[in-house]
Amino acid sequence: MKDFVFFMKENYSELPLFTAQKNFEDWNAEWKKFYTPILVSDRLEIIPEWLKESREMSLANKVYIYPGMGFGTGTHETTYLCLSLFDKIYDDLKASTECLDFGCGSGILGIAALKTKKMPTLFCDIDKSALDNCVQNIVLNFEGENIEGSKLVIRDRFIPSKKFDLVFIDADKENYQNYYELILPKMNQGGVILSDNVLWSGKVLEPIKDNDRSTRALMTYNEHLKNDPRVETVLLPIRDGLTVSRVL
């Protein structure tokens, strides 16, 4: 700290400089204060790992999440919306049918499907650190249990071989349409594809910058879903936007 103050005074003497002593804080404990249990419905609850024991009396299915390098804690509006929609179509989904969590991050969505509906789930992500976090959360939720049929795969090695009834897509936006076309032939009739972030914080409604390939790709993808006769699609305009596509 002293070296930094000396450097600033020597090189930027014209700038006002103030220093203050801050009491020590346990930052590992501080950031945890921002996460609390999320009640999706009477049968589904998202619980931070360090609050696991405090929610033991809850009757809901509990998905425990340790937020590491993988995105997905349930606090983001569209992640919550994905969980809520999953809960709404819960009774329409058959147990033991297949789920794909594409761009799984922390694994929160796939874990919810696997834990509440016993759906064998394929977790896929481009980021190894996200898959590591996903493994951490799978162990947290299923340690000692048989989850045969579920697996993880890095995106470069993803080759869909099974038929899916439920798919979550939250991956790199520039390739949404490519992923959709790769997955759609492997969907069962009546299967549901949930595509996250399709409004991109409203950017799809604004003039597109020349170098903004993600927004341009999402606009193309949204138009493609709207006109694709193989599915019926509804777009939910909440926060980043979510499309629900049912395979005909």
Side-chain angles (χ1 to χ4, degrees), residues 1-210:
M1 182 65 182
K2 291 181 180 179
D3 290 341
F4 174 73
V5 172
F6 176 78
F7 172 83
M8 292 297 294
K9 287 181 176 179
E10 285 292 311
N11 294 279
Y12 301 97
S13 57
E14 71 279 8
L15 295 178
L17 181 64
F18 304 94
T19 60
Q21 183 70 36
K22 187 171 177 60
N23 294 332
F24 172 78
E25 291 179 349
D26 184 350
W27 291 105
N28 193 45
E30 284 296 311
W31 67 265
K32 291 181 179 180
K33 293 180 181 178
F34 294 96
Y35 294 98
T36 57
I38 299 169
L39 186 64
V40 178
S41 72
D42 291 341
R43 61 184 165 199
L44 179 59
E45 186 172 13
I46 311 300
I47 303 172
E49 176 268 341
W50 53 91
L51 296 177
K52 187 175 180 178
E53 294 182 1
S54 69
R55 303 298 296 177
E56 287 182 349
M57 299 303 293
S58 169
L59 298 178
N61 289 296
K62 305 170 189 65
V63 173
Y64 303 112
I65 291 295
Y66 188 90
M69 294 300 291
F71 289 100
T73 61
T75 56
H76 191 280
E77 288 89 340
T78 48
T79 304
Y80 176 84
L81 188 57
C82 279
L83 291 165
S84 182
L85 281 169
F86 164 71
D87 184 70
K88 293 291 191 299
I89 64 174
Y90 179 90
D91 292 327
D92 297 329
L93 295 168
K94 298 177 182 178
S96 300
T97 53
E98 304 285 337
C99 172
L100 169 62
D101 192 351
F102 196 82
C104 61
S106 69
I108 184 172
L109 299 175
I111 290 172
L114 178 57
K115 195 161 195 179
T116 64
K117 203 67 178 180
K118 309 299 182 187
M119 299 180 76
T121 300
L122 176 58
F123 298 89
C124 179
D125 206 287
I126 198 170
D127 186 351
K128 185 181 180 300
S129 61
L131 287 177
D132 289 341
N133 183 216
C134 184
V135 169
Q136 182 182 17
N137 286 317
I138 290 172
V139 171
L140 182 62
N141 284 273
F142 302 104
E143 187 171 14
E145 297 183 34
N146 182 359
I147 55 171
E148 183 178 355
S150 295
K151 63 180 181 179
L152 292 88
V153 63
I154 196 80
R155 183 127 2 119
D156 290 344
R157 298 184 180 179
F158 172 71
I159 302 175
S161 57
K162 297 180 178 180
K163 288 279 191 176
F164 300 107
D165 282 87
L166 177 64
V167 173
F168 302 103
I169 300 179
D170 187 4
D172 53 300
K173 313 312 170 191
E174 294 176 34
N175 283 302
Y176 260 34
Q177 188 164 327
N178 293 332
Y179 299 144
Y180 170 80
E181 290 297 339
L182 179 63
I183 293 166
L184 188 62
K186 293 296 182 179
M187 293 294 297
N188 285 321
Q189 185 177 12
V192 174
I193 301 174
L194 301 177
S195 305
D196 201 0
N197 306 132
V198 292
L199 293 182
W200 212 218
S201 298
K203 290 182 181 179
V204 296
L205 302 175
E206 302 170 355
I208 305 176
K209 298 178 181 178
D210 292 338

